[in-house]
């Protein structure tokens, strides 16, 4: 896919990837072999009928193509941009063997953007209102998808969002240069056009409890609150000034627009030399954001090698093109501070790779050699975990691991009427898998509410506990 | 939007605001805070809920105009609205039957002790309140405290009201003369640290309400992390109250000063923009 010049783009927040032109998109679509047993579909977490949407595209029927996409995927403009296609649809494409898989992600993005450019608004089909109410907690990918599908089935849906803006990780986590806010806004408008109400500043568990939602007449609740609490790295110096969690650093810039301080009131510290710890998409986002804020040198510090990096291929490539320096096989062990309590360096161990661990990735071990990276800011991007506010407020909810909700594949929890999906049930994963979970949960909720025989009153069920 | 029902100046540079927020009022417990954003370009700031009226569906916020956002908040009048308020956040103060409790408030931090006082009194605790300020003008809500407390002791730096001196001196006398079960302190960091040092030799449980920098306030960003017993804790979801004997106050003070230059820059820009006109009335 075309991308803007690294030298220019690394100084602003405008979108990096440019997308395909109409001509390129149709040409790429015509390369598709339209397999009888398409492997790409099997590689997609929500099983989009990929050959079908591409087939419309071959015939330049763009709205037909979008109809197919929207049937499976509420947020095609988002997924076309943020899905790790190389591990999913594109990675499974039969042409992959020849080294030139169909650029499915780019095509998805083209179709979604085409609609936006032309100002075409696809009217989604919606069942007649059925008089039943469902509450959705969290307005990220899982919540938006569940809400949209439920609205299509005829439910009256309210999404409750804790922050002052809807979109979840799409707005506070993913930077503008990778996923422009206007794209998310448009997708959210689409969800609203289905009749979904979004209530902001509503911290379910605090502002209102799940029990109260039931007693207000919501018959079922979907929990899609994500896994947003940053994981902490317990090394000396981690609370020095100018040590950020990536979550805070990115929230300041993405949600609060700190890059435009003082036009916007939230500041963010701009540093000269920055070390970002971690090898996932969040680490890439934080590093590239630091650079756009004016850092002269930005390091990604990752304890394994390039092959084990969990970030999307495109993000790694873009970061490299923009001059981010990668320190592989490097494990931080101490953040050094000056007498005022500010970061002045990061002491790291050089690592060597040993046998594969439980995750199948080769385990890094200390080589015995260490060195200091002279930086004035450190950003920790080593993962996120479950947020306790909501899950702890629901009595009797079965949890696993660090506080994730136990669900079956259809999003059912152990409590009647309560469903969950996305990162809060799987642990941190992808936008598309959260959407898939939202979709399956919407179907289960539909079954649950319609199947009156198997249904006990949620209030009764709650009072029994 | 959250409508301002009433607003008044309670001390120089200190305003109180009653805001329509029925759900927050309904769930408010002593010790909780809210995060608010005045308008779409605003920052999110935490403010402790100083009072709530569950029947009227309102909460009371008290703030000292020390930065751009609080200064701007002070320009809003009754009838106007605050764009976003989320809450009630943070753990509630543990309200139990303790026996003799001492509540120590410094400056406007005192006001946030008020719901704690009322809740403790409802459980029939004996309560001594010690309020300290630089000068008499800065002692807020003294009358409200007198209504619920068994004893109210005032201290000012300049002796303009109560005894001249620090809250810790008054506290020491109480600790020497009575069997105190718990001390709860809210106020400037140095004062909370001094209170904790004062109670340490007496081995009296001491809670302090911390006020680190926050961004979203619901455990998602970690801006508010503090060290307690050598462990990193998030004040927004694990606090804001912690054991004063275990808090690393020096780290907290250092982290609180991190954005000082940006705060000054924002304040200057704000004052320039409104040419002094947007400062609220009643301020010296």
């Amino acid at each position: 896919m075309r991308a803007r010049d690294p030298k220019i783009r690394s100084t602003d927040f405008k979108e990096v990837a440019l997308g395909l032109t109409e001509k390129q998109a149709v040409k790429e679509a015509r390369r598709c072999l339209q397999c009888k047993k398409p492997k790409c579909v099997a590689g997609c977490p929500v099983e989009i009928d990929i050959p079908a949407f591409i087939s419309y595209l071959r015939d330049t029927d763009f709205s037909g193509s979008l109809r197919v996409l929207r049937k499976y995927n509420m947020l095609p403009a988002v997924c076309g941009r943020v899905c790790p296609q190389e591990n999913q649809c594109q990675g499974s494409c039969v042409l992959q063997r020849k080294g030139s898989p169909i650029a499915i992600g780019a095509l998805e993005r083209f179709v979604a953007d085409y609609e936006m450019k032309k100002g075409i608004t696809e009217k989604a089909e919606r069942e007649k209102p059925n008089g039943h109410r469902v509450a959705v907690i969290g307005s990220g990918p899982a919540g938006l998808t569940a809400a949209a599908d439920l609205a299509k089935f005829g439910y009256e849906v309210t999404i409750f969002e804790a922050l002052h803006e809807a979109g979840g990780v799409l707005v506070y986590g993913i930077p503008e240069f990778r996923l422009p806010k206007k794209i998310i806004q448009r997708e959210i408008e689409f969800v609203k056009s289905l009749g979904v109400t979004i209530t902001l500043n509503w911290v379910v568990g605090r502002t209102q409890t799940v029990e109260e939602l039931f007693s207000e007449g919501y018959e079922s609740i979907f929990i899609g609150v994500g896994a947003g609490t940053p994981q902490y790295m317990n090394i000396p110096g981690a609370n020095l000034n100018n040590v950020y969690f990536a979550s805070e650093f990115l929230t300041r810039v993405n949600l609060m627009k700190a890059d435009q301080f003082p036009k916007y009131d939230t500041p963010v510290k701009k540093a000269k030399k920055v070390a970002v710890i971690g090898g996932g998409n969040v680490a890439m986002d934080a590093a590239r954001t630091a650079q756009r804020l004016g850092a002269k040198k930005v390091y990604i510090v990752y304890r394994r090698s390039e092959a084990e990096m969990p970030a999307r291929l495109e993000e790694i490539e873009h970061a490299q093109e923009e001059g981010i320096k990668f320190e592989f096989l490097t494990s931080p062990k101490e953040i050094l501070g000056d007498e005022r309590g500010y970061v002045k360096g990061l002491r790291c161990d050089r690592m060597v790779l040993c046998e594969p661990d439980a995750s199948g990735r080769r385990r890094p071990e200390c080589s015995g050699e260490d060195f200091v990276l002279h930086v004035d800011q450190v950003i920790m991007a080593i993962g996120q975990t479950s947020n306790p506010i909501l899950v702890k407020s629901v009595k009797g909810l079965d949890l696993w691991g660090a506080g994730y909700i136990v669900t079956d594949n259809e999003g059912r929890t152990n409590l009647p009427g309560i469903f969950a999906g996305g990162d809060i049930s799987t642990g941190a994963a992808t936008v598309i898998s959260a959407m898939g979970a939202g979709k399956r949960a919407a179907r289960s909720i539909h079954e649950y509410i319609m199947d009156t025989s198997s249904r006990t009153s949620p209030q009764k069920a709650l009072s029994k506990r | 939007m959250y409508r301002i029902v009433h607003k008044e100046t309670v001390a120089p540079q200190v305003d109180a605001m009653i805001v329509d927020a029925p759900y927050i009022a309904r769930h408010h417990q002593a010790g909780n805070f809210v995060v608010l954003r005045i308008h779409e370009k605003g920052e999110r700031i935490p403010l402790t809920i100083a009072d709530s009226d569950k029947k009227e569906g309102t909460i009371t916020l008290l703030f000292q105009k020390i930065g751009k956002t609080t200064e701007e908040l002070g320009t809003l009048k009754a009838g106007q609205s605050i764009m976003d308020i989320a809450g009630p956040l943070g753990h509630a103060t543990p309200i139990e039957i303790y026996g003799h409790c001492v509540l120590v408030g410094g400056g406007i931090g005192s006001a946030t002790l008020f719901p704690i006082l009322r809740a403790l009194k409802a459980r029939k605790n004996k309560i001594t309140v010690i309020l300290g300020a630089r000068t008499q003008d800065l002692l807020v809500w003294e009358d409200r405290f007198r209504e619920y407390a068994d004893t109210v002791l005032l201290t000012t730096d300049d002796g303009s009201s109560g005894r001249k001196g620090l809250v810790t001196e008054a506290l020491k006398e109480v600790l020497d003369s009575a069997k105190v079960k718990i001390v709860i302190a809210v106020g400037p960091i140095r004062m909370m640290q001094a209170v904790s040092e004062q109670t340490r030799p007496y081995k009296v449980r001491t809670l302090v309400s911390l006020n680190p920098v926050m961004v979203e306030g619901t455990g998602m960003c970690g801006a508010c992390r503090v060290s307690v017993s050598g462990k990193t804790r998030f004040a927004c979801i694990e606090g804001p109250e912690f054991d004063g004997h275990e808090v690393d106050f020096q780290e907290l003070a250092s982290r609180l000063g991190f954005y000082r230059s940006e705060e000054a820059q924002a304040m200057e820009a704000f004052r320039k923009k409104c040419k002094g006109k947007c400062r609220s009335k009643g301020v010296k």
Side-chain angles (χ1 to χ4, degrees):
Chain A
M1 203 188 305
R2 294 173 305 145
R4 291 169 60 222
D5 181 342
K7 277 209 185 75
I8 299 165
R9 76 190 192 217
S10 61
T11 63
D12 65 36
F13 282 86
K14 288 188 212 126
E15 189 169 17
V16 166
L18 291 169
L20 304 175
T21 62
E22 191 176 318
K23 219 166 129 189
Q24 286 172 324
V26 174
K27 192 174 162 206
E28 179 70 4
R30 288 184 178 154
R31 226 162 50 79
C32 173
L33 301 176
Q34 295 284 306
C35 304
K36 285 258 157 46
K37 283 183 186 160
K39 290 191 168 162
C40 52
V41 178
C44 172
V46 296
E47 293 174 25
I48 295 177
D49 189 348
I50 294 166
F53 104 78
I54 292 182
S55 151
Y56 281 107
L57 197 48
R58 291 154 72 105
D59 301 337
T60 68
D61 178 357
F62 303 131
S63 27
S65 184
L66 187 71
R67 257 198 316 279
V68 176
L69 278 176
R70 282 257 195 237
K71 197 172 140 200
Y72 299 88
N73 181 346
M74 272 315 302
L75 314 166
V78 173
C79 290
R81 286 171 167 83
V82 305
C83 265
Q85 290 98 359
E86 67 271 19
N87 304 327
Q88 300 177 349
C89 51
Q90 273 168 236
S92 314
C93 176
V94 291
L95 293 172
Q96 169 74 43
R97 260 180 299 170
K98 290 187 175 163
S100 59
I102 300 295
I104 301 167
L107 292 180
E108 181 181 29
R109 174 186 158 155
F110 169 81
V111 173
D113 286 3
Y114 185 85
E115 173 196 48
M116 179 153 55
K117 243 184 250 153
K118 299 282 162 181
I120 310 164
T121 314
E122 198 63 44
K123 260 265 185 290
E125 287 161 41
R126 215 191 143 187
E127 301 282 325
K128 268 203 313 235
N130 62 18
H132 296 284
R133 295 168 74 200
V134 179
V136 170
I137 307 171
S139 65
L144 286 174
T145 306
D149 276 11
L150 286 163
K152 285 189 202 160
F153 294 148
Y155 291 91
E156 186 187 329
V157 184
T158 307
I159 300 181
F160 295 98
E161 165 57 47
L163 288 173
H164 59 254
E165 204 175 316
V169 71
L170 305 176
V171 296
Y172 71 73
I174 304 178
E176 177 80 18
F177 56 82
R178 192 146 84 81
L179 179 62
K181 296 288 163 286
K182 65 169 201 278
I183 305 267
I184 307 159
Q185 269 154 21
R186 186 184 155 83
E187 304 284 27
I188 288 169
E189 284 312 312
F190 179 77
V191 174
K192 283 191 188 164
S193 77
L194 295 167
V196 173
T197 306
I198 303 182
T199 303
L200 302 172
N201 299 314
W202 213 263
V203 190
V204 177
R206 307 310 307 263
T207 314
Q208 204 173 13
T209 62
V210 161
E211 284 84 352
E212 286 169 313
L213 288 174
F214 277 125
S215 61
E216 277 199 359
Y218 292 100
E219 291 162 66
S220 177
I221 290 171
F222 174 74
I223 303 173
V225 295
T229 298
Q231 262 169 21
Y232 184 71
M233 190 171 215
N234 207 0
I235 56 173
N239 292 345
L240 287 166
N241 282 333
N242 248 331
V243 179
Y244 280 107
F245 285 118
S247 320
E248 180 190 349
F249 187 72
L250 292 172
T251 297
R252 282 180 181 272
V253 177
N254 299 339
L255 180 71
M256 306 308 298
K257 302 186 171 61
D259 53 306
Q260 295 176 56
F261 175 86
K263 194 176 142 202
Y264 284 78
D265 289 342
T266 306
V268 66
K269 283 287 181 186
K270 297 172 181 180
K272 289 196 183 69
K273 291 183 180 174
V274 182
V276 179
I277 303 170
N281 288 324
V282 177
M284 303 302 134
D285 288 345
R288 297 167 72 196
T289 298
Q291 186 167 47
R292 282 160 172 77
L293 290 174
K296 295 279 169 279
K297 192 127 211 175
V298 182
Y299 301 93
I300 294 261
V301 176
Y302 182 56
R303 61 198 191 108
R304 304 179 200 243
S305 74
E306 183 165 6
E308 287 82 20
M309 271 202 150
R312 283 177 88 218
L313 196 59
E314 191 183 1
E315 308 314 324
I316 299 172
E317 284 170 5
H318 281 165
Q320 281 166 340
E321 288 164 15
E322 288 167 15
I324 306 288
K325 198 160 167 359
F326 286 74
E327 292 285 345
F328 295 113
L329 290 168
T330 301
S331 179
K333 65 173 175 188
E334 183 185 4
I335 303 171
L336 308 170
D338 64 15
E339 63 291 343
R340 291 159 50 241
Y342 282 66
V343 172
K344 66 170 188 185
L346 179 66
R347 187 181 298 280
C348 304
D349 281 323
R350 286 276 184 222
M351 312 300 278
V352 286
L353 285 181
C354 305
E355 297 306 301
D357 62 13
S359 73
R361 295 179 298 178
R362 292 178 65 195
R363 191 170 45 85
E365 219 167 70
C366 273
S367 67
E369 185 195 330
D370 76 354
F371 70 105
V372 173
L373 271 178
H374 296 281
V375 293
D376 52 1
Q377 187 169 71
V378 173
I379 301 173
M380 295 187 279
I382 55 163
Q384 289 88 240
T385 179
S386 127
N387 184 313
I389 290 189
L390 177 77
V391 291
K392 282 199 177 159
S393 77
V394 187
K395 272 184 231 121
L397 188 60
D398 273 355
L399 304 177
W400 66 273
Y404 300 106
I405 300 173
V406 177
T407 65
D408 64 11
N409 193 44
E410 306 309 310
R412 300 180 193 97
T413 69
N414 65 312
L415 300 179
I418 301 182
F419 297 76
D423 285 6
I424 192 57
S425 74
T426 57
T430 58
V431 169
I432 188 75
S433 62
M435 289 176 43
K439 223 173 169 55
R440 290 192 300 276
R443 260 193 318 253
S444 309
I445 290 171
H446 185 37
E447 269 169 34
Y448 168 77
I449 292 181
M450 289 301 129
D451 185 5
T452 44
S453 59
S454 76
R455 193 163 162 247
T456 49
S457 147
Q459 278 107 306
K460 237 188 249 165
L462 283 165
S463 63
K464 264 188 222 156
R465 294 203 301 270
Chain B
M1 297 293 262
Y2 298 78
R3 203 173 60 90
I4 301 163
V5 179
H6 174 80
K7 188 200 145 192
E8 64 181 16
T9 298
V10 294
Q13 291 290 51
V14 181
D15 286 356
M17 218 173 230
I18 299 177
V19 185
D20 241 342
Y23 282 89
I24 301 175
R26 190 190 297 170
H27 289 277
H28 167 231
Q29 290 177 284
N32 289 152
F33 65 93
V34 293
V35 167
L36 67 79
R37 190 177 73 138
I38 303 176
H39 49 66
E40 62 177 16
K41 288 185 178 156
E43 61 178 338
R44 294 169 65 96
I45 61 157
L47 286 178
T48 306
I49 303 172
D51 200 2
S52 61
D53 186 328
K54 293 180 172 40
K55 220 170 76 202
E56 293 291 319
T58 58
I59 55 170
T60 302
L61 302 173
L62 213 98
F63 55 95
Q64 187 166 21
K65 291 176 270 184
I66 46 163
K68 193 253 171 181
T69 298
T70 41
E71 184 91 27
E72 189 169 11
L73 191 59
T75 66
L76 298 180
K77 299 179 186 73
Q80 290 182 298
S81 293
I82 295 167
M83 193 166 182
D84 305 296
I85 304 184
L89 302 170
H91 283 296
T93 308
I95 302 297
E96 292 165 27
I97 301 167
Y98 292 107
H100 192 170
C101 313
V102 178
L103 307 185
V104 188
I108 80 137
S110 308
T112 56
L113 278 172
F114 179 66
I116 301 174
L117 165 66
R118 206 169 39 188
L120 285 172
K121 198 64 217 172
R123 300 294 297 271
K124 306 259 188 298
N125 286 290
K126 180 177 182 215
I127 303 165
T128 303
V129 173
I130 305 172
L131 302 177
R134 271 200 329 274
T135 179
Q136 185 181 11
D137 288 351
L138 296 169
L139 285 168
V140 295
W141 284 9
E142 185 194 328
D143 49 338
R144 290 198 187 201
F145 282 98
R146 290 206 185 275
E147 197 184 328
Y148 291 92
D150 294 276
T151 315
V152 176
L153 304 171
L154 305 177
T155 70
T156 48
D157 293 0
D158 61 2
S160 53
S161 184
R163 65 189 278 173
K164 183 174 170 170
L166 301 172
V167 286
T168 43
E169 294 159 15
L171 175 62
K172 183 172 188 315
E173 284 171 22
V174 179
L175 290 169
D176 283 334
S177 62
K179 183 77 194 134
V180 175
K181 291 292 181 172
I182 188 168
V183 172
I184 302 176
V186 186
I189 291 177
R190 264 209 257 167
M191 170 256 172
M192 292 191 285
Q193 183 172 17
V195 166
S196 303
E197 285 316 313
Q198 185 68 70
T199 58
R200 193 189 297 277
Y202 294 86
K203 297 193 169 63
V204 175
R205 183 179 174 197
T206 303
L207 291 179
V208 290
S209 180
L210 304 184
N211 56 339
V213 171
M214 284 189 192
V215 182
E216 46 67 53
T218 58
M220 308 276 276
C221 76
C224 66
R225 61 195 193 274
V226 291
S227 292
V228 183
S229 311
K231 282 204 185 98
T232 293
R233 312 282 295 270
F234 286 9
C236 66
I237 51 171
E238 299 179 272
E241 288 168 1
F242 292 101
D243 179 350
H245 298 147
E246 297 293 334
V247 170
D248 184 339
F249 286 102
Q250 200 190 335
E251 179 188 281
L252 175 62
S254 168
R255 289 180 61 82
L256 262 174
F258 184 44
Y259 292 101
R260 200 161 284 145
S261 63
E262 285 80 3
E263 282 159 15
Q265 190 188 346
M267 184 72 132
E268 198 189 305
F270 177 67
R271 286 190 170 147
K272 205 178 269 172
K273 200 174 118 197
C274 63
K275 297 182 184 91
K277 278 181 207 152
C278 46
R279 300 194 72 184
S280 56
K281 285 176 198 157
V283 174
K284 282 177 191 169

